[in-house]
Amino acid sequence: MAVRNVIRMGDARLRETSLPVPENDLGSRELKKLLRDMYDTMEDYDGAGLAAPQIGELRRIFVVGLDHGENRGYEKKAYINPEIEILNSPSEGSWEGCLSVPGMRGYVERSRKIRIKYYNENGDFEDTIVEGYEAVVLQHEFDHLNGILYVDRIKDTRLFGFNEELTQQDAI
Ligand code: NI
């Protein structure tokens, strides 16, 4: 178990564009070790997702851990060299938070239907359509690979603040 330090907004590395994982490294032992660290870190920080640049690794990788309810249960997955195609606008809004912006959340509009192509942790290519909340999480994590934070996507900054203060008005 290796929990890494999550860097926070203001650190210039969060604003960089991450580099693709070379084909030779897909499915490698070194990459699996990094993914294990990312899962450990995501779970220790209690996040729904974590992108590699958030632990200072400027590589196009993110992991997601979501509870899909009774049938599928908790599932964690790695997305390497992902590409996203937006299938469904207009967007809906929801409250987002980020481990690199601790203690805060903001209201962001995103598409609820995307197509994502990526390599999984074994180096296999996947091509799938994702809908709903999971599609939102994937877009949030994907943004990290291009140096974008959810705060950049908040249209109305009155809908941005500290969790403790927003509890009265999170009914949107
Ligand atoms: Ni984030």
Side-chain angles (χ1 to χ4, degrees), residues 3-172:
V3 174
R4 307 268 295 261
N5 181 50
V6 175
I7 61 178
R8 298 190 297 178
M9 188 170 67
D11 187 310
R13 289 171 288 179
L14 289 171
R15 294 311 196 167
E16 297 208 11
T17 300
S18 293
L19 294 171
V21 175
E23 221 168 292
N24 287 345
D25 292 348
L26 294 170
S28 69
R29 186 173 297 192
E30 187 268 341
L31 193 65
K32 284 184 177 166
K33 186 184 174 308
L34 173 62
L35 294 174
R36 266 202 308 279
D37 285 0
M38 289 177 67
Y39 287 135
D40 289 346
T41 306
M42 174 176 71
E43 285 166 4
D44 188 70
Y45 278 75
D46 205 19
L50 181 80
Q54 292 182 277
I55 55 168
E57 302 272 357
L58 297 179
R59 297 194 247 182
R60 300 189 77 80
I61 304 169
F62 61 77
V63 295
V64 164
L66 291 174
D67 188 353
H68 295 283
E70 281 177 27
N71 295 333
R72 280 166 72 191
Y74 179 80
E75 194 175 71
K76 54 187 183 184
K77 263 182 169 177
Y79 297 81
I80 300 151
N81 295 348
E83 287 177 44
I84 282 182
E85 184 185 340
I86 303 292
L87 295 181
N88 186 7
S89 21
S91 320
E92 278 175 52
S94 58
W95 288 92
E96 295 187 20
C98 181
L99 298 179
S100 294
V101 193
M104 303 191 82
R105 66 174 182 267
Y107 195 74
V108 178
E109 292 179 5
R110 296 189 194 268
S111 170
R112 259 39 184 191
K113 188 173 183 185
I114 62 166
R115 178 178 186 183
I116 184 164
K117 299 178 186 179
Y118 62 100
Y119 291 90
N120 67 21
E121 55 185 285
N122 297 318
D124 303 320
F125 181 73
E126 308 241 14
D127 180 350
T128 176
I129 288 175
V130 179
E131 297 187 57
Y133 173 69
E134 188 178 1
V136 171
V137 174
L138 297 184
Q139 288 168 85
H140 173 119
E141 300 308 330
F142 180 78
D143 270 352
H144 277 296
L145 309 183
N146 293 325
I148 298 167
L149 300 175
Y150 81 89
V151 298
D152 305 337
R153 297 198 181 276
I154 298 171
K155 284 187 182 155
D156 180 351
T157 49
R158 289 173 297 183
L159 300 177
F160 176 53
F162 292 95
N163 287 329
E164 288 157 0
E165 312 300 335
L166 284 166
T167 50
Q168 302 302 314
Q169 45 168 303
D170 61 0
I172 294 178

